[in-house]
């Protein structure tokens, strides 16, 4: 048994809109071990993104404990949480969310602006991250000069560059065709197997989930754990 | 400044909009530079005036002349070294646009009172010798290319002669210089003889105009002024005595409060600029809400994002402001060599202080609301576009 990187205990999340309140996550428990590649599946609206946001420290639970990378993150203040995210988590989104006015290289360097690294060291590390995702020769391109698959690779390089403990991917192939999607999933698999990155990935796609080491199904804010294949 | 490339790229995200905003900032600061420089000239107009000259005028207005018979009483006040009096002549030379001040004075008194003006002894003697003689400041003589011996025709807008004609003629016998500063406003004046003028004019005999008093101790200016004004209190000729500097400032104010007008124009311009730049900035922030949320995701703090937006706004305003002030300096340089008669405009430290504080003021004012919005933005809402 390896150590748990993510531990959720009795986590609930309730959204309140006016007088209505919706319990999106219901007393949920989850563990992700170091080195896991977890696929989180389930119908739309089942609470997958909400769960990812809690794991990544983007949002706070209404109830319960969220321990990630050894820290009770639901107890951190906003600025401490920001610093914690910068150190521990890399995010990959469905629509890449790159800065449109920055080159691939500068996009990847963004998280390093928050470190004490020198400009040349930042550039060097961004170059390495772009090489890892196979896009070194596109470093000077702007996002609108890249294909969807290439843009997602840049986003993965950005998520990797600060060497986080955990990669969080919300439907990373949701906007890509089958072939490109498989390339991206292959890349994530490599990062998991060869670079030892722990990955939590939300996906609708059963084919995508097969790249993972574990799968978890969600329905109406609760988990239904299935054994790995 | 490792964030500069990020700021710079963000600023130019929508090129056309940034250019338009910059142009309007440049225009506003060009205007600010020029108007504040002009303002500065008006406000320092009295700077080169003697601190030990007092002016006694009629309490109602400096345009109504005080009678000559007050002279002995004023002269008797202790602390006064010399007293001169000046009746405004109100003439134009050849063309109404050639306006400059002329005064009828008594040469002996003038020479004793305006000691900072230097008139060669033989010219002073010539002035005392001939009733139609007049003297002019060096700047004035240069302006019209006058030389000693020239006959100067003036048409008075106020005083006809006894024959009903308004056309007067004077002989220029002297040109005076100034020992302290050549920007002394007197250097643009002309002085004719009071005795000749008073005898020849159709009306107003015995009116001396205003009195100019030289005092020994500038620190006693206020006390002496009060003493004189009390002396004539409740008489038909109530007076108002002030330093020459105050007098000339009041004079400017009386023509029309130019500073107020200039500042109102600037106020209107900057109000527009605030709206325009404010709109640009809030639009710029509104359309990149998801990007700001991503920055926070990457570990930028709320305060960091606030700082980025404010820095962007400041950058925009400072660039626009510096370019505008640069252009204002170019325009002032061109004006200085242009064949128009006006005081030289210069953006001095005071003007630069106003300009710089306006740049930062506008930048902060305009950047703060969207910056606060960016700071308060929740990541989850920002990412989902909620
Ligand atoms: N900020 C929010 N405010 C209100 N309701 C929300 C908010 N975020 C998510 N929800 C609701 O929570 C439910 C789960 O959303 P989400 O986690 O995005 O689902 P999934 O990612 O599985 O599609 C949905 O019904 C959604 O409308
Ligand atoms: Mg989702």
């Amino acid at each position: 048994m390896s150590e748990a990187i993510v531990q959720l205990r009795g986590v609930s999340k309730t959204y309140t809109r006016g007088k209505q309140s919706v319990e999106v996550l219901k007393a949920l428990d989850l563990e992700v071990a170091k080195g896991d590649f977890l696929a989180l599946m389930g119908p739309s609206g089942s609470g997958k993104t909400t769960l990812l946001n809690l794991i990544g420290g983007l949002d706070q639970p209404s109830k319960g404990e969220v321990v990630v990378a050894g820290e009770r993150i639901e107890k951190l203040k906003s600025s401490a949480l920001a610093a914690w995210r910068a150190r521990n988590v890399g995010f990959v989104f469905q629509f890449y969310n790159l800065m449109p006015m920055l080159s691939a290289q500068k996009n990847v360097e963004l998280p390093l602006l928050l470190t004490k690294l020198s400009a040349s060291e930042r550039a060097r590390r961004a170059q390495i991250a772009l090489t890892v995702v196979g896009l070194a020769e596109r470093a000077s391109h702007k996002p609108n000069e890249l294909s969807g698959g290439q843009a997602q690779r840049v986003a993965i390089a950005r998520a990797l560059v600060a060497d986080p403990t955990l990669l969080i991917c919300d439907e990373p192939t949701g906007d890509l065709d089958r072939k490109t999607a498989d390339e991206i999933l292959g890349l994530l698999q490599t990062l998991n197997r060869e670079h030892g990155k722990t990955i939590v990935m939300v996906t609708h796609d059963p084919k995508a989930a097969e790249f993972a080491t574990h799968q978890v199904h969600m329905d109406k804010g609760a988990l239904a754990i299935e054994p790995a294949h | 400044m490792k964030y500069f490339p990020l700021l710079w790229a963000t600023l130019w995200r929508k090129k056309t909009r940034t250019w338009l905003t910059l142009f309007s900032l440049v225009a506003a600061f060009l205007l600010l530079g020029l108007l504040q420089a002009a303002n500065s000239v008006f406000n320092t107009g009295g700077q080169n005036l003697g601190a030990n000259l007092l002016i006694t005028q009629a309490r109602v207005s400096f345009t109504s002349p005080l009678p000559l018979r007050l002279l002995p009483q004023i002269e008797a006040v202790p602390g006064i070294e010399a007293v001169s009096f000046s009746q405004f002549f109100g003439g134009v030379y050849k063309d109404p646009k050639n306006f400059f001040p002329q005064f009828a004075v008594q040469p002996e008194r003038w020479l004793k009172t305006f000691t900072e003006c230097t008139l060669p002894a033989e010219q002073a003697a010539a002035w005392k010798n001939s009733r139609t003689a007049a003297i002019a400041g060096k700047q004035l003589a240069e302006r019209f290319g006058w030389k000693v011996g020239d006959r100067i025709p003036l048409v008075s807008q106020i005083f006809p002669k006894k024959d009903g004609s308004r056309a007067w003629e004077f002989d220029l016998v002297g040109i005076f210089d100034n020992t302290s500063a050549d920007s002394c406003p007197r250097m643009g004046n002309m002085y004719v003889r009071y005795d000749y003028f008073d005898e020849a004019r159709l009306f107003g005999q015995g009116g001396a105009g205003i009195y100019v008093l030289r005092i020994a101790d500038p620190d006693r200016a206020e006390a002496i002024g009060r003493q004189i004004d009390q002396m004539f209190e409740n008489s038909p000729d109530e007076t108002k005595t002030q330093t020459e500097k105050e007098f000339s400032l009041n004079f400017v104010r009386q023509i029309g409060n130019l500073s107020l007008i200039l500042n109102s124009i600037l106020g209107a311009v900057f109000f527009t600029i605030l709206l325009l730049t404010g709109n640009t900035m809030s639009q710029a922030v509104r359309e990149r809400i998801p990007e700001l949320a991503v920055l926070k995701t990457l570990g930028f703090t709320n305060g960091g994002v606030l700082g980025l937006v404010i820095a962007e706004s400041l950058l925009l305003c400072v660039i626009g402001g510096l370019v505008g002030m640069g252009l204002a300096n170019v325009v002032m340089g061109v004006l200085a060599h242009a064949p128009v008669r006006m005081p030289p405009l210069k953006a001095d430290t005071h003007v630069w202080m106003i300009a710089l504080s306006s740049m930062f003021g506008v930048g902060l004012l305009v950047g703060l609301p969207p910056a606060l919005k960016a700071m308060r933005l929740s990541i989850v809402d920002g990412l989902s576009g909620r």
Side-chain angles (χ1 to χ4, degrees):
Chain A
M1 258 324 275
S2 52
E3 63 181 293
I5 289 262
V6 178
Q7 281 179 296
L8 306 192
R9 292 189 208 107
V11 167
S12 299
K13 179 72 186 177
T14 306
Y15 284 117
T16 318
R17 280 275 133 118
K19 279 177 195 157
Q20 267 184 318
S21 66
V22 192
E23 194 173 29
V24 178
L25 298 180
K26 295 164 187 157
L28 190 142
D29 297 311
L30 174 71
E31 278 204 9
V32 182
K34 193 172 159 73
D36 274 3
F37 182 174
L38 179 74
L40 195 55
M41 303 187 59
S44 196
S46 56
K48 306 182 296 294
T49 297
T50 306
L51 181 58
L52 273 196
N53 289 343
L54 292 183
I55 296 174
L58 300 183
D59 205 355
Q60 304 281 21
S62 312
K63 245 190 277 173
E65 280 178 27
V66 183
V67 186
V68 183
E71 192 97 43
R72 284 280 295 271
I73 61 170
E74 89 276 8
K75 298 209 155 172
L76 293 179
K77 288 221 180 63
S78 135
S79 58
L81 194 57
W84 176 87
R85 279 197 301 273
R87 272 197 319 277
N88 293 293
V89 202
F91 292 89
V92 179
F93 304 99
Q94 179 175 358
F95 298 108
Y96 332 126
N97 283 17
L98 298 172
M99 302 283 152
M101 65 290 177
L102 296 181
S103 66
Q105 167 85 23
K106 290 290 173 197
N107 264 289
V108 176
E109 279 184 34
L110 267 184
L112 299 181
L113 284 180
L114 299 167
T115 66
K116 289 200 171 76
L117 298 175
S118 69
S120 58
E121 184 59 19
R122 292 198 300 268
R124 195 181 72 84
R125 294 201 185 182
Q127 197 63 45
I128 292 173
L130 280 170
T131 310
V132 169
V133 301
L135 264 190
E137 80 287 358
R138 298 291 165 120
S140 61
H141 289 224
K142 296 259 175 73
N144 63 5
E145 300 157 358
L146 299 171
S147 71
Q150 290 170 332
Q152 196 58 300
R153 284 167 189 270
V154 174
I156 293 173
R158 182 179 67 187
L160 282 178
V161 73
D163 198 23
T165 339
L166 183 64
L167 274 190
I168 286 184
C169 313
D170 196 349
E171 306 199 29
T173 59
D175 198 42
L176 302 173
D177 60 60
R178 182 77 260 154
K179 182 168 163 292
T180 316
D182 285 350
E183 285 168 13
I184 293 293
L185 291 161
L187 173 60
L188 290 175
Q189 199 169 47
T190 310
L191 291 171
N192 173 246
R193 288 186 182 161
E194 277 154 44
H195 300 264
K197 292 289 165 210
T198 308
I199 302 178
V200 180
M201 173 179 79
V202 162
T203 182
H204 286 316
D205 175 9
K207 283 228 174 82
E210 282 169 18
F211 284 81
T213 57
H214 299 69
Q215 296 184 9
V216 163
H217 284 262
M218 265 193 98
D219 195 20
K220 294 185 185 119
L223 290 181
I225 301 177
E226 282 189 3
H229 299 287
Chain B
M1 223 355 230
K2 60 183 171 181
Y3 296 105
F4 187 78
L6 174 62
L7 276 178
W8 189 250
T10 311
L11 189 62
W12 292 99
R13 205 168 177 275
K14 288 267 160 74
K15 290 203 174 54
T16 318
R17 186 174 60 201
T18 305
W19 274 118
L20 286 175
T21 311
L22 264 183
F23 276 140
S24 47
L25 279 165
V26 166
F29 277 91
L30 169 63
L31 206 60
L32 177 133
L34 292 176
L35 294 188
Q36 285 301 341
N39 212 349
S40 182
V41 167
F42 290 130
N43 287 329
T44 55
Q47 219 162 51
N48 294 315
L49 295 172
N52 46 6
L53 288 184
L54 292 184
I55 292 187
T56 301
Q57 64 169 66
R59 190 184 161 126
V60 277
S61 159
F62 69 92
T63 54
S64 53
L66 287 170
L68 198 51
R69 67 184 134 77
L70 307 188
L71 183 59
Q73 275 168 283
I74 294 175
E75 229 165 8
V77 172
I80 294 182
E81 288 185 337
V83 178
S84 179
F85 53 88
S86 300
Q87 172 58 55
F88 187 63
F89 179 80
V92 294
Y93 174 61
K94 287 183 179 167
D95 190 300
K97 78 172 192 296
N98 289 337
F99 172 82
F100 57 87
Q102 312 92 21
F103 297 95
V105 300
Q106 222 174 57
E108 292 78 6
R109 290 184 175 277
W110 187 89
L111 288 165
K112 275 186 207 144
T113 307
F114 298 107
T115 48
E116 90 284 4
C117 295
T118 54
L119 184 67
E122 74 279 6
Q123 296 184 0
W127 192 24
K128 289 178 199 163
N129 272 340
S130 158
R131 287 160 54 83
T132 56
I135 60 168
K138 200 170 145 208
Q139 269 180 13
L140 178 65
E142 278 167 6
R143 176 175 168 195
F144 294 115
W146 292 344
K147 279 177 282 308
V148 168
D150 285 357
R151 174 151 276 232
I152 315 292
L154 292 177
V155 175
S156 176
Q157 312 288 84
I158 306 171
F159 297 108
K161 294 194 288 193
K162 286 205 168 107
D163 63 9
S165 154
R166 289 172 181 274
W168 297 68
E169 281 197 332
F170 300 96
D171 301 307
L172 188 68
V173 299
I175 293 171
F176 62 88
D177 208 334
N178 190 294
T179 51
S180 54
D182 60 6
S183 57
C184 169
R186 265 185 284 288
M187 294 296 283
N189 293 357
M190 176 172 165
Y191 295 93
V192 304
R193 277 179 58 157
Y194 181 81
D195 51 358
Y196 166 62
F197 162 78
D198 197 46
E199 202 178 289
R201 64 173 159 173
L202 183 59
F203 59 81
Q205 270 74 13
I210 57 167
Y211 288 90
V212 183
L213 333 171
R214 166 168 299 280
I215 55 175
D217 179 5
D219 291 340
R220 291 205 52 229
E222 212 177 318
I224 293 178
R226 211 177 315 117
Q227 191 181 346
I228 293 173
D229 293 345
Q230 273 164 7
M231 209 153 68
F232 300 110
E233 220 168 357
N234 299 323
S235 82
D237 304 301
E238 292 201 319
T239 60
K240 176 168 150 193
T241 304
Q242 53 198 335
T243 63
E244 190 185 28
K245 184 167 175 162
E246 282 167 346
F247 177 79
S248 80
L249 283 180
N250 286 340
F251 182 76
V252 169
R253 283 184 200 123
Q254 226 153 334
I255 319 177
N257 195 331
L258 282 161
S259 286
L260 181 71
I261 294 170
L262 295 189
N263 285 327
S264 319
I265 296 175
L266 276 179
V269 168
F270 273 82
F271 182 69
T272 314
I273 277 296
L274 276 182
L275 293 182
L276 208 99
T277 320
N279 184 48
T280 297
M281 279 307 297
S282 59
Q283 224 175 310
V285 164
R286 209 178 311 127
E287 67 195 18
R288 55 171 204 273
I289 291 287
E291 287 167 37
L292 292 166
V294 168
L295 285 179
K296 291 191 180 185
T297 305
L298 297 179
F300 282 74
T301 58
N302 292 337
V305 172
L306 171 107
L308 279 177
V309 175
I310 287 191
E312 181 186 339
S313 166
L314 282 175
L315 188 63
L316 183 69
C317 292
V318 168
I319 293 175
L322 290 180
V323 173
M325 286 298 288
L327 276 182
N329 273 317
V330 171
V331 171
M332 288 186 259
V334 170
L335 281 181
H337 295 103
V340 283
R341 172 97 196 156
M342 57 185 291
L345 294 180
K346 199 173 149 290
D348 53 16
T349 341
H350 177 69
V351 174
W352 269 103
M353 296 271 277
I354 293 178
L356 286 173
S357 46
S358 305
M359 290 175 213
F360 283 93
V362 173
L364 282 178
L365 220 60
V366 150
L368 202 60
L372 286 173
K373 184 176 169 173
M375 182 183 87
R376 295 196 195 109
L377 173 73
S378 102
I379 300 180
V380 174
D381 288 350
L383 285 177
S384 63
R386 232 180 288 262

